[in-house]
Amino acid sequence: EDQQIILGIESSCDETSVGIVRNEHELLANVITSQIKSHQRFGGVVPEVASRHHLEYINYCIEEAIKQAKIKKSDLNGIACTYGPGLAGCLMVGLTAAKVMAADLNLPFYGVNHMAGHIYAAAIDHKIKFPALALLVSGGHTEFVYMKDELSFEIIGTTLDDAVGEAYDKIGRLIGFNYPAGKTIDEAAKKGTANYELPRPMMNRPDLNFSFSGLKTAVRDLVEKEKRHGTLEVNDLAASFQEAVVEVLISKTKKALNQISVRELIVGGGVAANSLLKSKLIELIQIDFPHCQLTIPPLRLCGDNGAMIAAFGSVLAKNQITSPLTLDSDPGLSF
Ligand code: KG4
Ligand code: ZN
């Protein structure tokens, strides 16, 4: 019949994941295996360890996703896979599995930009209204992407140094939280009061760029001072840091929406799970941009996952934009 079922593979960092999407917007399966435990003792993702995990789990994820979707492999209409940005060895594992599958089943193959995947996580339950603006906030990226239509991506603002998730993880390390620290800091912040004074880097500049390394340094100095005096209030620090970060993100988002007119604001990447960011975005849209639709994907679709890769793969399939089986990984891929 006229249905299109796309399987998507994601292995760019520390999640091995396979998702299946039917007709662009219907989620059939999303199997995510995290390897965070293996990396925690190192305080970050170790590329070699990550590649080996992907190798170990990729086939399980594929089989499990097919089972969850209650389909047969022969029902699939195409295979999509992240080919960048990400860790070279990790990308290679997913790509190889995807190419083997596409060749084996004689199906078209679609190379997907991981960041496009994060944006399209928002499209899993509805049709994005274009023009749209995406705020991508993850461990490796902080950027505004303007989308005139479903296949055009233009970066109109980015971080000049650390990504916002990276800042969360580095601050977490300073105060003894496990990697990745975003969720833990978010929870600690809810129990604290934002009474430490911290800078809001670049907030009042007219452009749409970010910088988080100065904030990180300010937090480090503060933590050292408070520790010396034995007065560090971890929850208050978390609240103060989170308030500074979110204030900058919200102020720049407001600036972006004032500069360009869009019908939808999409938030993507792991930090999109942040509770304060979410509530402040809802407030911003309600008060200042009531005609713009705000889409923040559900928690399980915010972090890295195969379903978002299948979602963008479905758009490529609809537009018949296939990739050759010789497609190489591109660790530094941008839009
Ligand atoms: O998109 P993602 O899963 O992986 C990358 O492509 O980077 O994002 C992971 C990042 C980590 O830095 C993590 O600390 C952060 O997202 N994160 C959060 C929250 N949940 C995850 N940051 C702030 N608040 C959260 N609730
Ligand atoms: Zn990601």
Side-chain angles (χ1 to χ4, degrees), residues 12 44 46 68 123 225 233 240 245 267 279 329:
S12 65
V46 185
Q68 263 188 25
K225 192 181 108 216
E233 294 287 345
S240 308
V245 167
V267 191
S279 63
S329 67

Side-chain angles (χ1 to χ4, degrees), residues 60-81:
Y60 161 81
C61 289
I62 293 171
E63 298 307 324
E64 193 59 26
I66 302 266
K67 209 190 291 172
Q68 263 188 25
K70 298 191 174 68
I71 58 166
K72 299 184 295 303
K73 274 188 184 158
S74 57
D75 294 328
L76 292 170
N77 302 99
I79 308 293
C81 181

Side-chain angles (χ1 to χ4, degrees), residues 202 205 207 209-210 248-256:
M202 317 233 328
R205 293 219 211 149
D207 60 72
N209 292 326
F210 301 95
V248 172
L249 290 172
I250 293 295
S251 138
K252 292 283 178 173
T253 303
K254 183 171 179 175
K255 223 164 263 182

Side-chain angles (χ1 to χ4, degrees), residues 4-10 17-31 65 69 71 76-82 110-114 116-124 301 304-318:
Q4 182 212 53
I5 304 182
I6 304 292
L7 177 140
I9 297 181
E10 159 60 35
S17 179
V18 176
I20 299 177
V21 168
R22 175 160 58 200
N23 298 338
E24 264 189 87
H25 307 293
E26 190 190 344
L27 181 64
L28 296 187
N30 198 18
V31 177
I71 58 166
L76 292 170
N77 302 99
I79 308 293
C81 181
T82 305
Y110 306 98
V112 170
N113 179 320
H114 178 79
H118 272 305
I119 297 176
Y120 272 87
I124 285 175
L301 293 173
D304 293 347
N305 68 87
M308 70 186 196
I309 303 305
F312 188 57
S314 305
V315 174
L316 294 173
K318 186 180 65 185

Side-chain angles (χ1 to χ4, degrees), residues 93-232:
V93 177
L95 261 183
T96 307
K99 289 174 185 175
V100 166
M101 231 182 142
D104 219 32
L105 299 166
N106 197 20
L107 290 175
F109 169 61
Y110 306 98
V112 170
N113 179 320
H114 178 79
M115 302 314 289
H118 272 305
I119 297 176
Y120 272 87
I124 285 175
D125 63 354
H126 80 293
K127 250 181 148 66
I128 296 173
K129 296 194 194 88
F130 296 99
L133 177 72
L135 168 62
L136 294 179
V137 279
S138 74
H141 294 266
T142 304
E143 56 205 21
F144 284 116
V145 182
Y146 173 66
M147 295 187 67
K148 186 166 49 56
D149 56 54
E150 67 181 357
L151 290 170
S152 86
F153 303 91
E154 186 192 343
I155 297 175
I156 57 170
T158 187
T159 179
L160 305 179
D161 40 62
D162 292 352
V164 58
E166 188 181 357
Y168 265 93
D169 296 336
K170 284 178 176 169
I171 300 300
R173 199 166 174 172
L174 277 178
I175 53 181
F177 288 174
N178 272 337
Y179 172 87
K183 188 166 177 250
T184 324
I185 292 183
D186 191 3
E187 274 156 16
K190 285 184 208 158
K191 292 181 256 165
T193 314
N195 48 16
Y196 285 115
E197 234 172 89
L198 290 170
R200 268 76 170 144
M202 317 233 328
M203 191 163 84
N204 297 317
R205 293 219 211 149
D207 60 72
L208 301 175
N209 292 326
F210 301 95
S211 163
F212 292 104
S213 84
L215 176 59
K216 179 190 64 194
T217 308
V219 172
R220 193 182 55 219
D221 293 348
L222 181 70
V223 167
E224 275 166 13
K225 192 181 108 216
E226 293 291 309
K227 272 188 179 162
R228 265 200 312 275
H229 297 117
T231 51
L232 179 66

